[in-house]
């Protein structure tokens, strides 16, 4: 059959092939995005069958909700700035200078990138709780001070914790851009007598300005959508953000219409920000960013080599060493706040978590099942989409690409509210099954997976396929024997990306789970609400172990790390 | 002779059934329950205690699994109602610390009328007059402090002591939006002192946690040295594990929280649910609740550890489940208004 396909298909055949793709795409789109968001919008303006703006009025007149809105703005803005403040210098150091230990820094950056933010927030409760926190105790012992060094239960504490897990987004963006820019302009400036810092500030930074702005927006978006960290750090301090407020509106008796009305502004904000980012990146006013070519010379840091490394390590200590250390300590001790003595040592937390607490096994099975299912379906789907858009197989393929990227504007909580409304009623009663979580995860992971896959197929030049076709192989045979083997490692990487994204997901799961469809993140959150620190630490470490196993698998398959650096 | 021998064997193998009573009806129920294979229990009892009772039941009745789902009282209710909205019938037994929930569930015809064996001897505060729900356990909502940080002489003795500005930044409270225990606590104190009390208390900048069990950990770690409320049984358990924590039972009165349990009208495993409910009300299990979990119960024959105060020696503050149900939203709203979240 395949042999008989023509090299240049007639228009009719092209149409034939695209029809089923379009039907499938439309269906998927309807189920994943339009139905939930449609219901969300409808519920937000309807009251017993008639249309009304009453819910919006109520949302925006309620001083408590106003405050949550304002808190979110503050949080997102400062997280954006803080992420730049950490991410830009580190990216510059690791892309442009002779900083020692670059591979180590990249490796740690990846670790911080895959650490679930809510685990980080939980660890920081134990590190910097104003009275019992490890660092504050240390500080008091050293200085004899009364006041704590840091109070993590505050807006600034929240900004700090969110920022140390968000800045890798900025880092990746800037480092990858810097990798593309030739250093001849910088060299010219040096020759003309500019100092290293002056070159960085007047040449390098302006050249990557669009990337910086767009990194800022990316960080802001992350901060806007986050649920776990504010729930763990803001609620004890007595304030809400939009996401925790939406979650609270779901408590009994549920005010679904208010939650919907509160979700729409968040959705609009994220959509606007992304539009802005696209404008910034699309403008390409800075001609230097364009493909490879040109020389990249390392800037010698001289005396500053080791202080710079120390600075980078200090940042990574905040996001990796200290949190992981305190998690391990909590997992192994009877009382997390007491010193690690022999009397305080115990394995009981492990025993309790894995053998007594019955939710653990259920949650692990559900999480892995969902992770594997979503990763397989997702990786397959985005590979197909990326192939179609890259090889322009059907007319209107650009639209498919756009649709695959569209869910990036939907924060997890908002998506969950929409899915909850859409799938707790006939004809599709998905609520209560793993199906609804699957749909949520697939939608949420689609943009990341698609970008990954797109890059993979962009890297495979069509000339290899064309050669195959010229030698007489049909499209399917070429796909099977040439394209698929070339794309395989990239597709596996996408699989891993999606899998890691799924097992750490909390913001949508927390609204969509039912007792039988608990996942690990939800169980950890449940335990947090009851203050079972030992069990949370054990489950958290388990989650990290699974994540890192996948990361290692992926690196060995790809021969490069997550962030694009060659081994 | 031979028949006696057979009976002995049967008894030896079905030992646990013995204390449930070896009547014919029980046998039929046991068979039916075994056929159902499991019982689904939505519980607000502390995680370790919930798991312990589940394991005890599974050991007593091999072949019947307990699927225990523990979360806060208000979350339990939210789960049940959300599931029903989607036409999911999952829960066999609902057990929370907010007696008002049972008034609501009864009103909506979501409870099965069932009287567990042996509860006729329980005091009236543990029984629904219509026979739908019964108090499985009770505990006090007390003050607790960390004696390593606060000296016992200086520590607050009464509810009003907590209003002293010197405790600013030193107090922790659990949340009525999560914990039925705390909903009950707040109503009991509002009936005593009015909302003004909580308005003043909020001036002391409290740390907010969710579960009534969480303050124990917060106080023991020293994060906040004084808890203005919380489940006394969990304070007690934390103390028993060697943590620095002391419990204060204010003389003006201590809220007594009776936590009811009931079988749902839509229970997918009704026989197993009845068997499990009966099991939890036996003297043996109620005694375990008292011994290792530090709870009070309605069972008249249960003996309490020496270091627990006798309920008769305390002035108990109790609330009417009907009132609790009626004022539930008000309690949650005002709490958020005063405390911020």
């Amino acid at each position: 059959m395949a042999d008989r396909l023509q090299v240049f298909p007639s228009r009719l055949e092209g149409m034939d092939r695209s029809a089923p793709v379009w039907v499938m795409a439309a269906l998927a789109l309807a189920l994943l995005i339009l139905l939930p968001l449609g219901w969300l919008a409808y519920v937000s303006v309807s009251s017993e069958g008639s249309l009304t703006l009453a819910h919006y009025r109520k949302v925006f007149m309620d001083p408590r909700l106003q405050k949550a809105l304002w808190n979110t703005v503050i949080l997102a803005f400062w997280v954006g700035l803080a992420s730049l403040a950490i991410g830009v210098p580190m990216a510059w150091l690791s892309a442009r200078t002779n900083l020692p230990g670059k591979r180590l820094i990249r490796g740690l950056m990846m670790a911080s990138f895959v650490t679930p933010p809510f685990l980080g927030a939980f660890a920081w409760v134990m590190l910097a709780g104003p009275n019992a926190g490890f660092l504050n105790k240390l500080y008091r012992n050293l200085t004899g001070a009364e006041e704590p060094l840091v109070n993590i239960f505050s807006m600034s504490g929240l900004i700090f914790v969110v920022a140390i897990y968000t800045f890798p987004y900025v880092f990746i963006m800037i480092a990858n851009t810097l990798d593309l820019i030739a250093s001849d302009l910088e060299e010219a400036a040096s020759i003309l007598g500019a100092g290293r810092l002056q070159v960085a500030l007047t040449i390098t930074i302006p050249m990557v300005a669009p990337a910086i702005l767009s990194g800022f927006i990316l960080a802001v978006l992350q901060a806007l959508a986050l649920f776990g960290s504010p729930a763990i750090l803001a609620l004890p301090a007595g304030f809400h953000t939009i996401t925790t407020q939406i979650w609270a509106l779901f408590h009994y008796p549920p005010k679904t219409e208010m939650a919907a009305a509160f979700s729409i502004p968040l959705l609009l904000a994220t959509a606007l920000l992304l539009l802005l980012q696209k404008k910034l990146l699309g403008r390409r006013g800075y001609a230097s960013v364009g493909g490879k070519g040109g020389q990249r010379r390392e800037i010698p840091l001289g005396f500053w080599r080791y202080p710079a490394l120390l600075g980078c390590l200090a940042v990574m200590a905040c996001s990796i060493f200290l949190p992981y250390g305190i998690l391990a300590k909590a997992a192994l001790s009877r009382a997390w706040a007491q010193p690690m003595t022999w009397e305080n040592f115990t394995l009981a937390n492990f025993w309790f978590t894995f053998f007594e607490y019955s939710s653990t096994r259920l949650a692990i099975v559900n999480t892995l099942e969902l992770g594997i299912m979503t990763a397989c379906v997702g990786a397959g789907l985005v590979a197909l989409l990326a192939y179609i858009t890259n090889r322009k197989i059907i007319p209107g393929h650009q639209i498919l690409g756009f649709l695959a990227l569209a869910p990036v504007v939907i924060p997890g909580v908002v998506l969950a509210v929409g899915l909850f409304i859409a799938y707790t009623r006939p004809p599709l009663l998905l609520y209560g099954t793993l199906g609804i979580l699957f749909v949520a995860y697939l939608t949420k992971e689609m943009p990341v997976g698609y970008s990954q896959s797109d890059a993979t197929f962009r890297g495979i030049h069509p000339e290899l396929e064309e050669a195959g076709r010229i030698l007489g192989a049909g499209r399917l045979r070429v796909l099977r024997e040439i394209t698929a083997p070339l794309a395989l490692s990239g597709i596996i990487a996408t699989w891993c990306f999606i899998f890691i994204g799924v097992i750490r997901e909390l913001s949508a799961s927390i609204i969509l789970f039912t007792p039988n469809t608990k996942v690990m993140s939800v169980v950890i959150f449940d335990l947090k609400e009851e203050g079972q620190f030992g069990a949370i630490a054990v489950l958290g470490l388990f989650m990290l172990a699974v994540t890192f196993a996948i990361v290692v698998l992926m690196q060995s398959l790809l021969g490069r790390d997550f962030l694009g650096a060659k081994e | 002779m031979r028949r006696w021998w057979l009976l002995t064997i049967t008894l030896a193998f079905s030992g646990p059934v013995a204390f449930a009573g070896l009547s014919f009806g029980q046998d039929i129920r046991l068979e039916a329950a075994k056929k159902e294979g499991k019982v689904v229990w939505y519980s607000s009892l502390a995680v370790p205690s919930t798991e312990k009772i589940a394991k005890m039941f599974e050991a007593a009745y091999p072949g019947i699994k307990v699927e225990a789902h523990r979360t806060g009282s208000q979350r339990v209710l939210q789960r049940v109602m959300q599931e029903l909205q989607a036409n999911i019938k999952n829960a066999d037994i609902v057990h929370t610390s907010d007696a008002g929930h049972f008034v609501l569930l009864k009103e909506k015809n979501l409870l099965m009328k069932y009287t567990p064996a042996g509860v006729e001897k329980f005091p009236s505060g543990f029984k629904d007059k219509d026979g739908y729900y019964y108090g499985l356990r009770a505990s006090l909502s007390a003050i607790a402090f960390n004696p390593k940080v606060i000296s016992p002489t200086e520590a607050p003795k009464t509810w009003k002591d907590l209003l002293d500005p010197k405790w600013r930044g030193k107090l922790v409270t659990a949340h009525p939006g999560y914990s039925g225990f705390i909903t009950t606590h707040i109503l009991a104190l509002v009936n005593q002192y009015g909302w003004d009390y909580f308005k003043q208390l909020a001036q002391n900048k409290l740390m907010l946690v969710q579960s009534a069990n969480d303050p124990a950990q917060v106080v023991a770690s020293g994060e906040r040295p004084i808890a203005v409320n919380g489940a006394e049984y969990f304070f007690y358990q934390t103390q028993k594990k060697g943590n620095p924590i002391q419990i204060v039972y204010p003389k003006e009165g201590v809220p007594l929280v009776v936590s009811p349990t009931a079988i749902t009208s839509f229970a997918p495993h009704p026989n197993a649910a009845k068997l499990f409910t009966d099991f939890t009300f036996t003297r043996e299990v109620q005694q375990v609740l008292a011994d290792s979990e530090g709870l009070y119960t309605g069972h008249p024959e249960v003996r309490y550890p020496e270091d627990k105060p006798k309920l008769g020696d305390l002035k108990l503050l109790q609330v009417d489940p009907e009132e609790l149900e009626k004022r539930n939203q008000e309690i949650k709203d005002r709490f958020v208004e005063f405390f911020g979240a």
Side-chain angles (χ1 to χ4, degrees):
Chain A
M1 265 306 280
D3 291 346
R4 265 187 278 144
L5 286 173
Q6 292 166 4
V7 177
F8 302 104
S10 73
R11 197 181 165 76
L12 189 68
E13 276 186 283
M15 292 295 288
D16 275 344
R17 225 177 296 128
S18 64
V21 174
W22 280 115
V23 171
M24 295 254 299
L27 200 70
L29 176 75
L31 288 179
L32 298 182
I33 307 175
L34 289 185
L35 198 61
L37 290 193
W39 270 111
L40 185 74
Y42 173 72
V43 167
S44 77
V45 293
S46 77
S47 165
E48 284 154 14
S50 62
L51 294 185
T52 170
L53 284 176
H55 307 316
Y56 285 95
R57 214 171 300 131
K58 231 166 135 189
V59 161
F60 288 106
M61 299 303 272
D62 187 329
R64 271 185 265 145
L65 300 191
Q66 282 172 354
K67 210 161 162 256
L69 207 69
W70 184 234
N71 286 335
T72 306
V73 171
I74 295 176
L75 171 69
F77 176 75
W78 284 105
V79 165
L81 278 192
S83 301
L84 286 189
I86 313 170
V88 173
M90 281 181 79
W92 178 75
L93 283 170
S94 84
R96 271 296 195 257
T97 70
N98 65 344
L99 182 78
K102 276 190 210 172
R103 265 186 60 185
L104 175 72
I105 297 291
R106 285 237 177 195
L108 291 170
M109 192 69 67
M110 186 224 29
S112 130
F113 186 70
V114 298
T115 303
F118 62 86
L119 272 187
F122 168 68
W124 272 93
V125 167
M126 294 186 285
L127 286 171
N131 298 309
F134 173 74
L135 294 178
N136 284 322
K137 275 192 188 162
L138 195 69
Y139 169 76
R140 283 202 182 89
N141 282 342
L142 290 180
T143 62
E146 286 270 311
E147 290 302 305
L149 182 64
V150 250
N151 176 7
I152 209 70
F153 299 113
S154 63
M155 180 53 98
S156 42
L158 177 62
I159 292 168
F160 168 76
V161 172
V162 175
I164 56 174
Y165 294 103
T166 306
F167 84 90
Y169 290 90
V170 174
F171 176 92
I172 297 166
M173 193 123 215
I174 309 290
N176 288 349
T177 310
L178 282 172
D179 277 344
L180 289 174
I181 300 177
S183 52
D184 33 14
L185 283 176
E186 292 163 348
E187 278 157 36
S190 298
I191 290 163
L192 292 172
R196 280 187 293 263
L197 189 65
Q198 205 183 350
V199 171
L201 290 180
T202 58
I203 309 283
T204 320
I205 300 294
M207 277 198 295
V208 290
I212 290 179
L213 257 174
S214 124
F216 173 77
I217 291 174
L218 209 58
V220 166
L221 280 172
Q222 289 295 322
L224 280 180
L226 220 50
F227 167 78
S229 309
I232 290 171
L233 299 175
L235 294 185
F239 68 95
H240 270 294
T241 61
I242 297 186
T243 50
T244 58
Q245 186 63 64
I246 290 174
W247 165 78
L249 285 169
F250 258 79
H251 295 164
Y252 189 83
K255 297 167 203 71
T256 317
E257 66 296 334
M258 296 277 281
F262 209 35
S263 297
I264 300 283
L266 184 58
L267 188 64
L268 290 179
T270 52
L272 265 173
L273 280 170
L274 267 156
L275 206 68
L276 191 67
Q277 190 205 21
K278 217 167 159 46
K279 276 247 154 68
L280 285 169
L281 276 188
R283 204 171 57 192
R284 300 226 182 266
Y286 302 85
S288 314
V289 188
K292 303 255 173 184
Q295 293 280 312
R296 268 170 288 278
R297 201 174 52 86
E298 282 189 345
I299 297 167
L301 285 173
F303 167 77
W304 292 104
R305 268 187 94 198
Y306 286 94
L309 174 67
L310 214 64
C312 291
L313 287 178
V315 171
M316 299 328 289
C318 289
S319 67
I320 303 289
F321 303 139
L322 288 169
Y324 285 27
I326 201 89
L327 280 178
K329 187 199 163 193
L332 289 169
S333 46
R334 283 175 216 284
W336 64 268
Q338 301 306 316
M340 193 72 237
T341 57
W342 191 242
E343 290 87 64
N344 196 19
F345 175 82
T346 179
L347 290 174
N349 294 322
F350 286 87
W351 180 260
F352 173 79
T353 308
F354 289 113
F355 299 106
E356 288 178 354
Y357 184 39
S358 54
S359 296
T360 307
R361 192 166 310 164
L362 178 71
I364 291 176
V365 170
N366 282 342
T367 306
L368 295 182
E369 208 171 291
L370 279 165
I372 291 169
M373 232 164 47
T374 315
C376 289
V377 174
L381 198 64
V382 293
L384 183 71
L385 285 173
Y387 181 70
I388 291 174
T389 50
N390 267 285
R391 297 293 179 262
K392 305 181 173 51
I393 288 174
I394 56 171
H397 55 86
Q398 303 95 328
I399 302 177
L400 279 183
F402 169 77
L403 291 178
L405 287 174
V408 80
V409 304
I410 313 173
V413 175
V414 175
L415 178 67
V417 175
L419 287 171
F420 177 81
I421 302 170
Y423 295 127
T424 41
R425 61 185 87 225
L428 269 174
L429 267 174
L430 284 184
Y431 181 73
T433 67
L434 289 179
I436 198 164
L437 290 167
F438 171 73
V439 169
Y441 297 164
L442 191 62
T443 312
K444 239 190 125 186
E445 296 305 320
M446 188 82 83
V448 181
Y450 177 75
S451 329
Q452 276 274 313
S453 256
D454 185 47
T456 303
F457 283 99
R458 212 171 278 177
I460 303 168
H461 201 278
E463 60 198 17
L464 288 172
E465 294 167 20
E466 282 156 14
R469 296 296 293 275
I470 289 164
L471 291 171
R475 186 179 277 281
L476 290 181
R477 187 162 168 210
V478 165
L479 190 60
R480 194 173 61 236
E481 291 182 6
I482 298 176
T483 322
L486 285 172
L488 190 64
S489 67
I491 292 174
I492 294 174
T494 310
W495 192 98
C496 296
F497 239 101
I498 296 178
F499 185 86
I500 290 171
V502 167
I503 63 172
R504 63 189 279 187
E505 211 293 327
L506 175 66
S507 60
S509 318
I510 198 69
I511 287 183
L512 295 175
F513 85 98
T514 51
N516 290 324
T517 56
K518 276 180 212 164
V519 290
M520 274 159 68
S521 56
V522 164
V523 166
I524 290 178
F525 190 74
D526 223 13
L527 288 167
K528 172 68 192 73
E529 290 195 307
E530 207 195 341
Q532 300 280 350
F533 278 47
I536 307 168
V538 170
L539 266 181
L541 290 174
F542 178 76
M543 199 178 211
L544 288 172
V546 173
T547 305
F548 284 111
I550 297 289
V551 168
V552 168
L553 173 81
M554 185 166 91
Q555 293 199 353
S556 56
L557 276 169
L558 287 182
R560 65 172 169 87
D561 75 22
F562 231 59
L563 314 176
K566 297 267 181 300
E567 284 283 305
Chain B
M1 199 46 198
R2 201 182 137 84
R3 281 172 60 193
W4 280 114
W5 180 77
L6 255 179
L7 185 62
T8 316
I9 296 284
T10 318
L11 270 178
F13 277 95
S14 58
V17 184
F19 61 69
L22 259 179
S23 74
F24 186 59
Q26 294 283 358
D27 272 356
I28 292 179
R29 175 183 296 165
L30 182 61
E31 279 316 304
K34 280 198 168 148
K35 219 166 268 160
E36 289 164 0
K38 69 170 178 182
V39 54
V40 181
W41 182 26
Y42 286 17
S43 161
S44 74
L45 181 62
V47 166
S49 313
T50 290
E51 297 292 352
K52 182 183 260 176
I53 292 176
K55 297 281 176 311
M56 282 170 70
F57 180 81
E58 285 174 353
Y61 295 98
I64 308 174
K65 284 253 157 262
V66 181
E67 211 181 279
H69 298 290
R70 192 275 159 194
T71 183
S73 297
Q74 309 299 347
R75 302 271 196 281
V76 168
L77 183 71
Q78 181 193 350
R79 294 259 77 83
V80 172
M81 301 312 266
Q82 254 180 33
E83 288 180 6
L84 284 176
Q85 191 193 336
N87 208 23
I88 298 167
K89 292 168 175 142
N90 191 39
D92 290 311
I93 300 174
V94 176
H95 170 53
T96 81
S97 290
D98 188 327
H101 292 166
F102 295 84
V103 175
L104 175 81
L105 292 169
K106 183 168 77 174
E107 220 165 72
K108 293 185 182 281
N109 293 322
L110 295 172
L111 298 183
M112 179 197 288
K113 196 167 183 167
Y114 181 69
T115 306
V119 292
E120 54 286 345
K121 297 167 290 188
F122 279 39
S124 61
F126 284 75
K127 294 190 276 198
D128 168 34
K129 56 185 188 306
D130 302 324
Y132 284 87
Y133 56 88
Y134 292 87
L136 176 62
R137 46 139 178 156
S139 189
L140 302 161
S141 182
I143 298 173
F145 67 95
N146 186 326
K148 276 190 178 169
V149 184
I150 307 280
S151 81
T153 48
E154 191 200 4
K157 309 277 181 301
T158 67
W159 299 113
K160 292 265 175 148
D161 284 352
L162 297 167
L163 303 179
D164 193 324
K166 74 176 170 184
W167 303 128
R168 201 180 154 93
K170 294 196 168 18
L171 309 175
V172 58
T173 176
H175 205 293
Y178 176 92
S179 167
F181 215 94
I182 300 305
T183 325
T184 313
H185 166 95
I186 291 177
L187 181 58
L189 289 201
V190 165
N191 283 341
Q192 199 87 342
Y193 304 116
W195 277 113
D196 236 26
Y197 172 78
F198 285 97
K199 198 174 178 179
Q200 279 185 55
L201 185 63
Q203 302 305 312
N204 274 340
K205 299 279 168 212
L206 277 69
M207 174 181 179
L208 314 183
V209 296
Q210 300 293 318
S211 167
N213 304 334
D214 202 3
Q217 171 271 130
V218 173
V219 169
S221 72
E223 183 51 61
R224 293 287 175 114
I226 302 169
V228 304
N229 52 33
E232 183 255 359
Y233 76 98
F234 213 73
F235 288 144
Y236 180 79
Q237 286 183 33
T238 309
Q239 192 180 46
K240 283 280 144 190
K241 284 182 192 148
N243 289 292
I245 189 166
Q246 266 185 39
I247 309 170
V248 178
Y249 304 89
K251 289 215 170 45
E252 318 121 279
V254 195
L256 177 73
V257 183
V258 178
S259 312
T261 187
I263 303 175
T264 60
S265 59
F266 51 86
H269 315 99
N271 292 295
K274 287 174 187 167
L275 198 64
F276 181 81
T277 304
D278 281 356
F279 176 77
T280 53
F281 280 97
T282 57
R283 181 170 181 265
E284 285 73 7
V285 173
Q286 297 265 308
Q287 186 64 57
V288 169
L289 292 179
D291 284 341
S292 64
E293 313 306 296
L295 287 157
Y296 293 99
T297 85
H299 203 294
E301 289 153 36
V302 164
R303 298 285 158 267
Y304 298 99
E306 287 297 313
D307 50 358
K308 292 274 289 187
K310 295 198 171 40
L311 284 188
D313 295 344
L314 299 169
K315 185 184 169 204
L316 299 176
L317 305 178
Q318 278 183 278
V319 301
D320 172 27
E322 312 260 346
E323 191 192 359
L324 194 55
E325 151 58 11
K326 234 178 283 153
R327 300 182 65 179
N328 216 294
Q329 196 57 44
E330 177 199 346
I331 294 170
K332 290 174 196 166
D333 284 347
R334 299 220 82 173
F335 184 90
V336 174
E337 182 190 329
F338 295 148
F339 293 92

